[in-house]
Amino acid sequence: MKIKYLLLLPILTCTAFAAQTPKSIDDIYAPTVVAVPPCDPVKGLIKMPDGKIRHSNYGGQPENQIESKYSFKVKNRMYIESADNGLTWSEHQLPAGVELPLFRHPANGRYFRVDGVNGQSWFFDYGTDGEKEVSRTEICPWWFEFNAEPCFVGKRILVPVTPRTSSCLQNVDFVFGSFFFITDDFGKTWSKSSRLNVPHHKAGGVHKGTRWNHDAMEPTAIALKDGRVWTVIRTSLDNLWQAWSKDGGFTWSKPVPTPFYGTCVMPKLGRLSDGKLLLMWANATALPELEGANGVWEDVFTNRSAIHAAISDDDGKTWRGFREILLDPRRNAPDFATSDGMDKSVHQSQFIEAAPNKIVAAIGQSKASRRIVLFDTRWLEETSRKCDFSNGLDDWSVFNYKKGIIGHCAYNRFEGCKTVPNPDAPTKNCLLIRYQKDDSLVSDIRGAVWNFPSTDSGKIDLKIKCLRGFKGGKIMIHDRWINPSDESAETLSFAAFEIPESFGDGKTRSLELKFDAKNKTATLSADGAEIATRTINRPAPIGVSYLQLQSGKTDGDAGMLVLEVSESGAPRK
């Protein structure tokens, strides 16, 4: 059976509905959704010798039934395939018992797969055509989770390993961490690297409880041009962490924080054909932990509704972009938690380069949230963005959480803000932000979050109309995605400004927020008159990339209309 996914899933871009269906990969620029992956992306997205791109429903999915140590009894194994660089996809069913390769070694051109099978860890060689298993070698007599892509250093393969043992132990400050299995002879013999460790999260400050402490896990690694290997690591802390190896991955420096935000999210690093590095991850901060969270196991995920990409042309020293590649299509769903599936998010990803500058990215967890997205890396390096709500709230996060963790680590959602007709242009829409008391919500503050290309200095222009009875609000700038209703948002921001209740006269105003992170200043003006200045009191190593608007918390609020938003900034150096 073959299904052209282009016919089933309308092609969308992050910024608007595509005016025309792209005819070739050359037409792709902004992120464009083209298909739904057959499983949660981690591995399985691969380019074959004939140039076709495949995504298989790799082992580890519920349909993978293991019979014994030396044989798979696989049911319902299949893959989708694209012959036009990811624009259209067809579905292919495999015979029972057949598995597919997951990776290709760039040095020898051989395809392979690494899997935990029936209590052991295995390496499977698929030769240079990638169609049939040639041989298999036991890596070790223990099962490990291989939940990240290998790194290649010449002929060497570094396979990331996550033991996942500590989350069941309460009040233990010992860190289990991650490591790499290493082979120099394409899987015949194996060594093990030193272990990568990070500290545990602890309650304190805004956190009344402790996050799920899963230690260092899901490391992604890349060989740098200076001979070192660099790894970026998922943690339970506020940021991804990093370490370096000078001996090809055997021993690692003590991990330290990266400037990239992200709590319990998976990073993915890759080198492109022009030598640039691309990083994908959820550059987002979760809500503060609630009382009762003890760090033993997952409680609720609140920072997995957006996934980002950044690009570096100096081997990771500096980065540009920090743009949303995909917002969870179900981020506002009233049944977000109660719908089918376990993890529901867009934080997991895998990407390949289909053509120079053109990326095919598989993203997400659960069928309802997963997507395959195409984008051009040059889009990451833009210096401006604008929104007139012609595509509704496609570019915005505006949801609130309903109280009560349901199913697997999730809240049901509520669309806290909505679009309404623009009173100044009746054929257009605008955004209404209005506080309404609602004790069923985790926080009933209404908020709206909008991403733009990261910059160190720039300005945001907003056209707003505060309705008669407006009870005040806030405008903030950030370096990451923040939950729209997060009541600690102001403390996380570079600068926060009050939108005064006195603006509630029904007049249309032009706001201008100028910021310069290096000179540590931010200024808000209304109709050309300066109304407030703030000092940016912390470093901004990844620049400024987010606008957040929030209501006040006074009942009877008539609300604020946001008619237009635009941002322009200096290119990051």
Side-chain angles (χ1 to χ4, degrees):
M1 178 180 67
K2 293 187 178 182
I3 300 173
K4 291 295 183 181
Y5 274 77
L6 203 62
L7 302 177
L8 294 179
L9 187 65
I11 290 188
L12 309 174
T13 68
C14 276
T15 54
F17 289 101
Q20 294 180 337
T21 299
K23 297 179 180 178
S24 77
I25 193 70
D26 295 333
D27 296 330
I28 295 294
Y29 185 62
T32 304
V33 174
V34 294
V36 176
C39 62
D40 295 354
V42 173
K43 47 194 178 183
L45 182 66
I46 192 169
K47 184 177 281 191
M48 303 307 293
D50 59 4
K52 293 179 180 177
I53 300 171
R54 289 181 180 176
H55 198 309
S56 62
N57 62 339
Y58 59 87
Q61 303 301 299
E63 66 271 16
N64 186 27
Q65 303 297 318
I66 299 171
E67 186 177 64
S68 73
K69 177 178 177 180
Y70 288 106
S71 66
F72 285 139
K73 187 177 181 180
V74 179
K75 300 176 181 178
N76 195 32
R77 186 65 70 238
M78 51 77 66
Y79 63 94
I80 60 173
E81 184 175 71
S82 175
D84 55 9
N85 289 313
L87 288 177
T88 61
W89 298 78
S90 57
E91 184 179 298
H92 304 263
Q93 194 74 33
L94 289 169
V98 174
E99 288 276 18
L100 291 175
L102 301 174
F103 311 110
R104 178 183 177 275
H105 197 303
N108 63 19
R110 296 183 74 88
Y111 291 81
F112 67 96
R113 181 165 55 91
V114 179
D115 250 339
V117 181
N118 201 29
Q120 293 85 34
S121 296
W122 291 87
F123 179 89
F124 302 86
D125 180 1
Y126 282 79
T128 55
D129 64 4
E131 296 294 342
K132 186 176 180 181
E133 182 186 321
V134 175
S135 64
R136 63 180 64 173
T137 306
E138 186 180 272
I139 301 174
C140 72
W142 305 285
W143 181 93
F144 284 106
E145 179 176 330
F146 300 102
N147 209 24
E149 293 179 271
C151 170
F152 303 101
V153 184
K155 66 179 182 180
R156 178 171 296 171
I157 305 174
L158 306 178
V159 179
V161 181
T162 299
R164 265 193 189 267
T165 48
S166 64
S167 60
C168 61
L169 301 178
Q170 188 173 4
N171 299 321
V172 173
D173 204 28
F174 179 76
V175 180
F176 288 79
S178 295
F179 62 90
F180 292 87
F181 279 131
I182 302 173
T183 179
D184 287 328
D185 52 15
F186 201 67
K188 293 182 178 63
T189 59
W190 292 86
S191 303
K192 185 174 75 69
S193 77
S194 63
R195 195 165 294 235
L196 294 159
N197 299 330
V198 297
H200 276 177
H201 177 264
K202 297 182 185 295
V206 298
H207 299 289
K208 297 179 181 179
T210 304
R211 288 184 188 138
W212 170 38
N213 274 311
H214 60 49
D215 306 327
M217 66 182 291
E218 295 170 357
T220 181
I222 199 79
L224 297 176
K225 294 176 182 178
D226 63 6
R228 296 178 300 160
V229 183
W230 177 42
T231 185
V232 175
I233 309 160
R234 168 177 164 171
T235 78
S236 300
L237 304 169
D238 291 341
N239 296 67
L240 303 176
W241 283 44
Q242 61 189 336
W244 292 266
S245 173
K246 295 181 179 180
D247 58 6
F250 280 101
T251 58
W252 292 91
S253 63
K254 184 178 180 180
V256 295
T258 72
F260 312 125
Y261 291 95
T263 299
C264 302
V265 297
M266 176 187 291
K268 283 294 174 78
L269 265 172
R271 188 176 296 281
L272 306 179
S273 59
D274 60 5
K276 294 179 181 177
L277 296 182
L278 182 68
L279 176 65
M280 287 188 67
W281 82 111
N283 186 44
T285 289
L287 290 177
E289 289 295 322
L290 300 177
E291 190 173 356
N294 59 14
V296 175
W297 194 238
E298 304 156 324
D299 53 353
V300 63
F301 295 122
T302 57
N303 64 319
R304 293 179 166 189
S305 292
I307 191 164
H308 304 78
I311 195 164
S312 173
D313 60 7
D314 58 8
D315 234 25
K317 297 179 180 67
T318 59
W319 295 84
R320 297 181 301 282
F322 298 88
R323 303 195 71 176
E324 291 174 351
I325 300 301
L326 182 68
L327 286 169
D328 192 328
R330 284 182 50 79
R331 61 192 180 278
N332 301 324
D335 65 343
F336 186 92
T338 51
S339 59
D340 290 341
M342 289 189 61
D343 286 311
K344 305 175 182 79
S345 80
V346 296
H347 89 99
Q348 287 191 183
S349 69
Q350 186 184 11
F351 63 83
I352 61 173
E353 189 176 17
N357 302 308
K358 307 295 185 179
I359 302 301
V360 178
I363 297 168
Q365 293 177 296
S366 89
K367 187 174 182 179
S369 296
R370 294 194 302 255
R371 296 293 185 267
I372 292 180
V373 179
L374 308 186
F375 67 94
D376 192 306
T377 57
R378 290 169 289 195
W379 176 82
L380 297 175
E381 303 192 63
E382 288 186 337
T383 57
S384 63
R385 194 184 191 193
K386 61 183 179 180
C387 175
D388 63 2
F389 302 100
S390 58
N391 63 338
L393 296 176
D394 287 355
D395 302 339
W396 293 77
S397 297
V398 298
F399 57 83
N400 291 67
Y401 297 107
K402 301 287 286 187
K403 287 180 180 176
I405 300 170
I406 301 172
H408 182 68
C409 308
Y411 293 121
N412 281 327
R413 309 286 182 90
F414 169 79
E415 190 173 55
C417 303
K418 61 182 181 178
T419 56
V420 297
N422 183 332
D424 292 356
T427 60
K428 295 183 178 181
N429 288 326
C430 63
L431 172 64
L432 172 63
I433 302 174
R434 180 178 63 184
Y435 175 75
Q436 291 176 289
K437 185 175 176 59
D438 189 339
D439 291 335
S440 73
L441 301 177
V442 174
S443 167
D444 58 7
I445 286 178
R446 303 308 197 268
V449 175
W450 184 69
N451 176 239
F452 51 85
S454 180
T455 183
D456 295 317
S457 62
K459 70 184 182 76
I460 302 169
D461 292 299
L462 302 96
K463 190 169 286 187
I464 67 168
K465 184 187 291 283
C466 297
L467 302 176
R468 296 185 184 277
F470 171 66
K471 299 297 184 181
K474 291 179 183 177
I475 177 171
M476 294 167 276
I477 51 174
H478 300 285
D479 51 2
R480 68 210 116 145
W481 184 94
I482 302 288
N483 276 278
S485 62
D486 190 340
E487 298 190 18
S488 66
E490 183 172 351
T491 65
L492 301 173
S493 71
F494 284 124
F497 297 89
E498 296 290 334
I499 302 174
E501 194 171 327
S502 61
F503 277 20
D505 54 13
K507 295 180 180 179
T508 299
R509 287 180 169 82
S510 295
L511 301 186
E512 182 184 72
L513 197 169
K514 287 186 175 180
F515 58 90
D516 187 331
K518 290 187 175 180
N519 289 318
K520 302 181 179 181
T521 61
T523 302
L524 182 66
S525 300
D527 296 328
E530 183 179 309
I531 58 175
T533 299
R534 298 285 185 267
T535 298
I536 296 175
N537 56 13
R538 63 180 176 85
I542 61 175
V544 181
S545 58
Y546 267 97
L547 166 72
Q548 183 171 20
L549 301 167
Q550 279 190 341
S551 71
K553 205 171 181 179
T554 303
D555 210 7
D557 180 26
M560 173 178 68
L561 299 177
V562 182
L563 311 181
E564 297 176 4
V565 183
S566 65
E567 184 276 339
S568 59
R572 295 204 77 217
K573 298 178 180 179

